[in-house]
């Protein structure tokens, strides 16, 4: 076993790898960018090496600096995590040339699976079923359109170099093919520097079922399947294992196909074979097709660990250090069912735009498995993936594990950045999902209901007002004496309410003209005679109510207002990027939190919102402008008050 390894990543996955290293007595070296000096993965590692600026190209993508850091610290091997350099064959080559071990597959295996067209051709030869379609070299638009006609609509155009759901277009009608092709190619050229595409039959009512494989370079085993059908725009939201409706017979056939795929390329380490499955009429032995292989540890690997009891990072370290495969196929078994939900800082109603912010409050249930790279008071910066945590639950049955996921999410508390938490909770309550009727279109079909179910409810807001009034502080809420008759207006950024104390432990909160009766009784909160599972938490950014749907009220801060010279406020570009759209014009009145503009940077879209109420004095950027970090975009002035 290695004595010391370097982890060439950040965030939750770097922390996850360090956890296993600690348990195995392997020393760890973290690397970090300027934005991550105080990050959790740096604090957890035995040593840490600074790489450079916050942009990935100046830090986590600098293979040369990372290899140098490994040498300087005496690390024997490099764990790449996922993303960044994990699937970059040139990096693997450089690591090996430096006399270090890359904890992952060979350069050859990564190259074989790197492009979707070549991978499909290779899999076809190995006898693995692939999605019917065209994956040849010819990229002539007319020929591609003819191929699409031959395959039969609907078809899916895919970037051969694609990943993360980018460069993909579904086409239902030949008339739309040319436009869809052009836009897929341009997205692929921008995102991957490679405009080549392939055409696939679009599988109706598709399910995404993938098989975890593990190889030693010659032989491979599989660790069963994960169902990742709950997706939004081809990106996974909640994953589970095993797949609903899977039978031992189909599992055997899919597992054997995945092992064949891995052995065909002499695969070493952890990998995932992704299949698209026709879910229109139950699962069938001839109803699954190879889509692609991810030659790394997958984001959702914890659900596999939960049902198999195996630590996949431990296996990675053991096989990379020269040990044989730790188990034979017949030693591997499934116990129970597991779910993983991806908690992101993102603005769901605004179209799931990535969000940023300082996590003024962060708490998780201690009984669920939580994978996170942040702590309370850390910042979700615009530079990286806005993931806050992965929440993983395991139970004897699917129903129990899903209830546990719902409870774990309800017990999760985040303030300081908007998140998809309420959306995730709504998903765990979705009837079709509960019944195991999953397909990749589920979220899109029911999106409006899922978002509406996540809208804040007035009773939780009434509790937040109680918090702002100071009536929920531990010393106050139980003590009758402090609930003196009182009537006052409580204001916060974006609204106000009237609070009238009615007696010990009872108050009336009038919000938007509607009175709500709040009581603290039997150590629980009641609103309008309904028992609430809510928790009221005061933190540095204000007051939040957790437990179902998060409500956060930020008190008005007169000092912060005065600090903005002359009542003006400038919205600055947080990073270099492209202004995608501007949503306000001069003279328009805006409220704190209103969307002002959308910036595209780091291949993601970021919503820029008003820091406070005001009137737009000047719009300093237009859609299509390339802007620098710190460039002024919108100038607000204080509303004229008579
Ligand atoms: P996976 O296929 O592993 O389940 P996704 O498909 O959701 O993951 O993620 C898309 C890709 O984005 C991943 O393959 C990974 O390479 C990259 N990615 C995701 N999160 C991060 C991150 N925190 N840092 C860097 N890259 C990431
Ligand atoms: P990426 O590299 O971006 O992960 P994939 O090839 O894995 O690309 O496809 C991503 C997602 O797109 C899949 O999980 C699935 O939801 C959908 N998808 C891919 N191929 C098909 C297909 N042929 N028919 C229907 N849906 C598909
Ligand atoms: Mg994929």
């Amino acid at each position: 076993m290695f004595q010391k390894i370097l982890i060439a990543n950040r965030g939750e996955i770097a922390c996850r790898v360090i956890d296993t290293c600690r348990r195995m007595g392997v020393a760890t070296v973290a690397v970090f960018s300027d934005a991550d000096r105080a990050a959790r993965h740096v604090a957890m590692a035995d040593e840490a090496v600074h790489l450079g600026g916050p942009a990935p190209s100046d830090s986590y993508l600098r293979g040369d600096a990372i290899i140098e850091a490994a040498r300087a610290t005496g690390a024997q091997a490099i764990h790449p995590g996922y993303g960044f350099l994990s699937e970059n064959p040139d990096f693997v080559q450089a690591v090996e040339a430096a006399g270090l071990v890359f904890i992952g597959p060979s350069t050859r295996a990564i190259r074989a699976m790197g492009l979707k067209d070549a991978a499909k051709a290779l899999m076809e030869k190995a006898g693995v079923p692939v999605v019917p379609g065209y994956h040849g070299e010819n990229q002539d638009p007319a020929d591609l359109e003819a191929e699409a006609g031959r395959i039969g609509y609907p078809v899916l155009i895919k970037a051969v170099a694609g990943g993360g759901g980018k460069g993909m277009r579904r086409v239902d009608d030949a008339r739309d093919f040319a436009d869809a092709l052009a836009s897929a190619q341009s997205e692929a050229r921008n995102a991957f520097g490679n405009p080549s595409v392939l055409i696939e039959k679009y599988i109706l009512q598709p399910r995404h079922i993938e098989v975890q494989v593990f190889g030693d370079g010659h032989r491979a085993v599989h660790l069963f399947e994960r169902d990742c059908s709950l997706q939004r725009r081809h990106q996974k939201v909640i994953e589970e294992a095993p797949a609903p409706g899977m039978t031992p017979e189909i599992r055997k056939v899919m597992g054997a196909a995945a092992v064949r795929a891995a052995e065909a390329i002499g695969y070493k380490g952890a990998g995932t074979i992704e299949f698209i499955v026709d879910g229109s009429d139950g699962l069938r032995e001839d109803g699954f097709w190879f889509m692609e292989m991810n030659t790394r540890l997958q984001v959702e690997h914890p659900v596999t660990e939960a049902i198999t009891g195996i630590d996949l990072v431990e296996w990675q370290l053991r096989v990379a250090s020269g040990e044989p495969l730790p188990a034979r196929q017949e030693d591997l078994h499934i116990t129970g069912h597991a779910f993983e939900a991806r908690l992101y800082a993102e603005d769901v109603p605004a179209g799931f735009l990535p969000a940023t912010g300082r996590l003024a409050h962060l708490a998780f249930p201690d009984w669920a498995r939580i994978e996170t790279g942040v702590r309370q008071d850390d910042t979700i910066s615009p530079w990286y993936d806005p993931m806050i945590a992965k929440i993983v639950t395991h139970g004897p049955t699917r129903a129990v594990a899903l209830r546990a996921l719902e409870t774990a999410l309800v017990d999760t508390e985040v303030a300081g950045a908007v998140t998809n938490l309420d959306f995730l909770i709504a998903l765990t309550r979705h009837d079709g999902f509960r019944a195991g009727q999953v397909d990749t279109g589920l979220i899109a079909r029911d999106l409006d209901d899922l978002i509406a179910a996540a809208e804040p409810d007035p009773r939780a807001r009434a509790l937040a007002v109680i918090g702002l009034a100071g009536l929920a502080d531990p010393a106050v809420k139980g003590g009758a004496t402090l609930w003196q008759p009182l009537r006052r207006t409580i204001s916060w950024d974006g609204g106000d309410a009237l609070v009238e104390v009615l007696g010990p432990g009872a108050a009336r909160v009038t919000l938007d003209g509607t009175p709500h009766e709040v009581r603290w009784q039997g150590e629980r909160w009641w609103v309008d005679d309904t028992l609430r599972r809510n928790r009221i938490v005061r933190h540095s950014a204000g007051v939040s109510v957790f437990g179902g749907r998060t409500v956060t009220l930020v008190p008005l801060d007169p000092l912060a207002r005065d600090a903005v010279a002359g009542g003006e406020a400038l919205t600055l570009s947080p990073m270099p990027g492209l202004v995608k759209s501007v949503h306000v014009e001069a003279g328009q009145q805006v409220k704190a939190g209103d969307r002002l503009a959308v910036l595209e940077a780091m291949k993601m879209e970021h919503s820029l919102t008003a820091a406070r109420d005001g009137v737009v004095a000047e719009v300093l950027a237009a859609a299509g402008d390339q802007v620098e970090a710190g460039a002024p975009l919108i100038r607000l002035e204080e509303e004229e008050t008579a």
Side-chain angles (χ1 to χ4, degrees), residues 154-229:
V155 298
L156 190 65
I157 304 173
K158 264 189 202 180
V160 302
K166 294 229 167 61
M168 251 190 293
R169 293 289 182 281
R170 174 184 165 158
V171 191
D172 291 314
D173 190 302
R175 274 175 310 193
D176 305 326
F177 187 86
D179 285 350
L181 176 66
S183 89
Q185 284 172 326
S186 105
E187 190 169 308
R189 191 183 289 109
N190 285 334
F192 315 111
N194 178 350
S196 293
V197 298
L198 55 80
I199 316 283
E200 269 179 10
K201 175 102 194 136
Y202 188 87
I203 306 299
L204 290 174
Q205 226 174 302
R207 286 176 63 178
H208 173 121
I209 299 181
E210 56 184 36
V211 178
Q212 175 72 53
V213 292
F214 211 102
D216 65 1
H218 309 281
R219 281 184 332 107
V221 293
H222 71 86
L223 290 93
F224 317 109
E225 79 283 356
R226 295 182 285 258
D227 193 311
C228 311
S229 299

Side-chain angles (χ1 to χ4, degrees), residues 82-84 164 236 294 296 298-300 342 385:
Y82 56 73
F84 297 125
K236 300 160 188 167
N294 292 326
R296 55 173 160 85
Q298 197 97 330
V299 176
E300 57 274 19
R342 300 185 184 196
D385 186 272

